[in-house]
């Protein structure tokens, strides 16, 4: 069937320069894993007639000799998707090992770029469902829509709603002073411990710690998340600046944060409907409570149509020739542009079990971050929160930054109870 070219955000991820743009979400359950036949039946029942799950990513080779970048396009085979064919039984692997093994491996051409993996867990009485995908296909909100539908008591994904698109309206950050597109800030030196390679760490946050940090009136989980990451970056700056141990060097530190653009009535759209914004991290503030107050309201959004300038920018950047895109990447992915990315995904589950097995936690697997930057990914469900950290600056850095996050979160909780 004829393909359709990828929109701005999806085309950008298809050209991700730091490795395959693979990402995922893992759901951990207690109990023996269901039979594969049961899982396949659930996938066919709950994910029936969803065209997005059958799409294949194809690179346009017709411009191979020109100076213009080759575009990607989506193609959907006429036969339609069979979701159950994408289930993989991976055996007793940990999530961390699965990430090392698979998330740097491109999806093969000629098939939809996603799989649902069953990890049976290193111990009896636990298993994980890991949805692995090419990020151009789906975003985090799409994954929670799909995974929630598998839980007990939930209905199938509405096929019409999944394909309806975000519409003409977008949920975008409310007007505020934003940095210019090419405005740089302060790079934050990461620990740089161990062999230089991609590292991934998962930490289950102590139950109630995020809730305790939200104790101050008006604090949200996102506010706590941004304030905690700001504390981690401040600690990195103080550690690296031996000339002044009282305050970090001057200059703004920017956090890159994805904002879901779906308006309230389009929440079940499957695809990519988000924009990345840069927010100031209050690293100059020594008091954790002051950092929390400074982060309040940073992610306030409004629903409005996209402006003419925004539409023009998306169309123009996507069509840039290869050399111009390479220059833009060198600027937009530099450590001083956004040394840290922050992603928060919450599974608003209607049911809390899968075939009777209780859901314990949700963990995110972000794409490989730009060189010398870090991605903090917070996954939440009714039972609590799990932090994932991804770096490529040193083999030990993800663990070190995860521990620093837990320490800064505890300081926020203490400040909230004071």
């Amino acid at each position: 069937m004829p393909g359709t070219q990828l929109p701005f955000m999806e085309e950008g991820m298809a050209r991700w320069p730091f490795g395959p743009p693979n990402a995922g979400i893992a759901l951990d359950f207690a109990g023996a894993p269901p039979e594969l036949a049961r899982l396949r039946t659930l996938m066919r029942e709950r994910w029936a007639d969803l065209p997005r799950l059958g799409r294949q990513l194809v690179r346009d080779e017709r411009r191979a000799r020109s100076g213009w970048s080759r575009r990607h396009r989506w193609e959907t085979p006429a036969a339609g998707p069979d979701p159950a064919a994408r289930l993989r039984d991976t055996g007793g692997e940990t999530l961390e090992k699965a990430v090392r093994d698979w998330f740097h491996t491109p999806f093969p051409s000629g098939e939809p770029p996603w799989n649902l993996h069953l990890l049976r867990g290193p111990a009896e009485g636990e298993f994980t469902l890991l949805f692995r995908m090419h990020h151009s296909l789906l975003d985090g909100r799409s994954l929670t829509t799909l995974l929630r539908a598998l839980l007990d008591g939930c209905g199938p994904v509405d096929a019409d709603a999944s394909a309806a698109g975000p519409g003409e309206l977008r949920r975008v950050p409310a007007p505020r002073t934003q940095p210019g597109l090419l405005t740089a800030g302060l790079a934050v030196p990461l620990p740089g411990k161990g062999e230089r390679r991609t590292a991934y760490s998962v930490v289950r946050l102590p139950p109630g710690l995020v809730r305790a940090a939200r104790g101050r009136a008006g604090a949200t989980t996102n506010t706590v998340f941004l304030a905690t990451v700001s504390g981690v970056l401040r600690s990195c700056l103080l550690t690296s600046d031996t000339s002044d141990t009282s305050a970090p060097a001057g200059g703004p530190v920017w956090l890159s944060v994805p904002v879901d653009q779906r308006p309230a009535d389009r929440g079940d759209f499957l695809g990519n409907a988000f924009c990345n914004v840069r927010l100031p991290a209050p690293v100059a503030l020594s008091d954790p409570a002051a950092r929390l107050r400074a982060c309040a309201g940073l992610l306030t959004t409004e629903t409005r149509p996209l402006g003419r300038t925004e539409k023009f920018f998306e169309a123009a950047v996507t069509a840039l020739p290869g050399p111009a895109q390479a220059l833009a990447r060198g600027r937009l992915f530099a450590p001083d542009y956004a040394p840290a990315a922050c992603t928060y995904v919450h599974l608003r589950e209607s049911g809390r079990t899968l075939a009777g097995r209780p859901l314990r936690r949700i963990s995110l697997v972000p794409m490989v971050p730009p060189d010398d930057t870090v991605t903090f990914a917070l996954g939440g469900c009714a039972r609590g929160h799990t932090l994932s950290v991804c770096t490529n600056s040193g083999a030990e850095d993800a663990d070190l930054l995860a521990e620093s996050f837990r320490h800064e979160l505890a300081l926020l909780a203490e400040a909230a109870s004071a």
Side-chain angles (χ1 to χ4, degrees), residues 43 81 95 104 138 154 158 167-168 172 215 228 237 275 396 412-413:
M43 293 169 70
L95 178 61
H104 301 290
L138 300 164
C154 298
D158 187 308
E168 291 298 318
V172 296
T228 305
L237 288 167
C275 62
E396 302 172 30
L412 271 181

Side-chain angles (χ1 to χ4, degrees), residues 169-176 259-263 299-305 310:
L169 299 179
R170 296 291 190 274
R171 194 168 66 88
V172 296
R176 68 172 64 86
V259 175
D260 181 21
Q261 289 189 301
R262 296 166 177 82
L299 282 175
T300 301
T301 61
E302 63 179 19
T303 301
R304 61 169 174 80
E310 293 166 309

Side-chain angles (χ1 to χ4, degrees), residues 148-160:
R148 185 179 61 242
L150 295 180
L151 299 180
D152 298 339
C154 298
V157 178
D158 187 308
D160 292 336

Side-chain angles (χ1 to χ4, degrees), residues 390-406:
C390 189
T391 65
N392 59 17
S393 50
E396 302 172 30
D397 283 12
D399 288 338
L400 292 172
L401 293 171
E403 285 302 315
S404 179
F405 183 98
R406 186 153 51 180

Side-chain angles (χ1 to χ4, degrees), residues 25 133 135 138-145 262 271-272 274 345:
I25 291 183
M133 51 86 184
H135 208 326
L138 300 164
D139 59 12
R141 178 69 179 270
S142 300
L143 291 194
T144 58
T145 296
R262 296 166 177 82
N272 282 278
F274 69 95
V345 173

Side-chain angles (χ1 to χ4, degrees), residues 12-339:
M13 287 185 289
R15 305 184 194 188
W16 191 248
F18 305 102
N22 300 336
I25 291 183
L27 302 186
D28 293 340
F29 295 90
E35 295 293 328
L36 291 178
R38 173 60 176 152
L39 286 176
R40 291 192 178 101
T41 298
L42 274 175
M43 293 169 70
R44 289 193 176 105
E45 289 177 350
R46 308 290 176 83
W47 297 349
D49 302 320
L50 301 178
R52 190 81 186 183
L53 297 185
R55 287 187 172 183
Q56 299 176 7
L57 187 62
V58 178
R59 189 167 187 174
D60 188 350
E61 300 293 346
R62 291 173 295 179
R63 302 188 198 181
R65 297 182 181 276
S66 73
W68 294 82
S69 296
R70 288 167 287 175
R71 293 289 300 273
H72 294 78
R73 67 183 187 276
W74 292 118
E75 291 189 350
T76 304
D82 177 13
R86 313 305 305 160
L87 179 62
R88 302 287 184 268
D89 185 354
T90 314
E93 283 193 319
T94 64
L95 178 61
E96 291 86 346
K97 185 176 187 303
V99 170
R100 288 196 301 270
D101 290 347
W102 308 331
F103 279 80
H104 301 290
T105 304
F107 284 94
S109 60
E111 61 183 54
W114 69 273
N115 294 121
L116 183 67
H117 296 271
L118 172 63
L119 307 179
R120 296 182 177 271
E124 292 292 332
E126 59 184 36
F127 69 95
T128 298
L129 285 184
L130 170 62
F131 195 116
R132 172 186 178 236
M133 51 86 184
H134 190 291
H135 208 326
S136 289
L137 183 71
L138 300 164
D139 59 12
R141 178 69 179 270
S142 300
L143 291 194
T144 58
T145 296
L146 289 167
L147 292 169
R148 185 179 61 242
L150 295 180
L151 299 180
D152 298 339
C154 298
V157 178
D158 187 308
D160 292 336
S162 74
E168 291 298 318
L169 299 179
R170 296 291 190 274
R171 194 168 66 88
V172 296
R176 68 172 64 86
T177 302
Q178 285 286 313
L181 178 63
L182 299 180
T183 300
L186 188 66
V188 176
L190 301 183
K193 302 293 186 180
E195 175 192 356
R196 186 181 181 90
R197 62 172 173 81
T198 305
Y200 174 71
S201 182
V202 181
V203 175
R204 186 178 185 184
L205 301 177
L209 194 57
V210 173
R211 184 170 59 252
R214 289 198 310 256
R216 289 184 178 270
T220 66
T221 300
N222 259 322
T223 303
V224 169
F225 184 31
L226 297 179
T228 305
V229 170
S230 298
V232 174
L233 298 183
R234 173 183 168 84
S235 176
C236 290
L237 288 167
L238 291 176
T239 301
S240 65
D241 186 5
T242 56
S243 64
D244 184 357
T245 58
S246 62
V253 171
W254 300 110
L255 303 176
S256 177
V257 182
V259 175
D260 181 21
Q261 289 189 301
R262 296 166 177 82
D265 61 345
R266 299 294 182 103
D268 286 340
F269 166 66
L270 298 182
N272 282 278
F274 69 95
C275 62
N276 279 312
V277 300
R278 286 195 296 163
L279 305 175
V283 296
L285 300 176
S286 60
D287 179 23
R291 290 197 294 270
L292 185 64
R293 290 192 296 270
C295 290
L298 288 180
L299 282 175
T300 301
T301 61
E302 63 179 19
T303 301
R304 61 169 174 80
L306 281 183
R308 187 175 302 175
T309 302
E310 293 166 309
K311 293 179 180 178
F312 174 79
F313 171 77
E314 292 188 0
V317 171
T318 304
L320 281 176
Q325 287 207 345
L327 289 174
R329 283 199 300 266
R331 175 65 272 160
L332 300 180
F333 294 138
D336 58 359
Y337 187 80

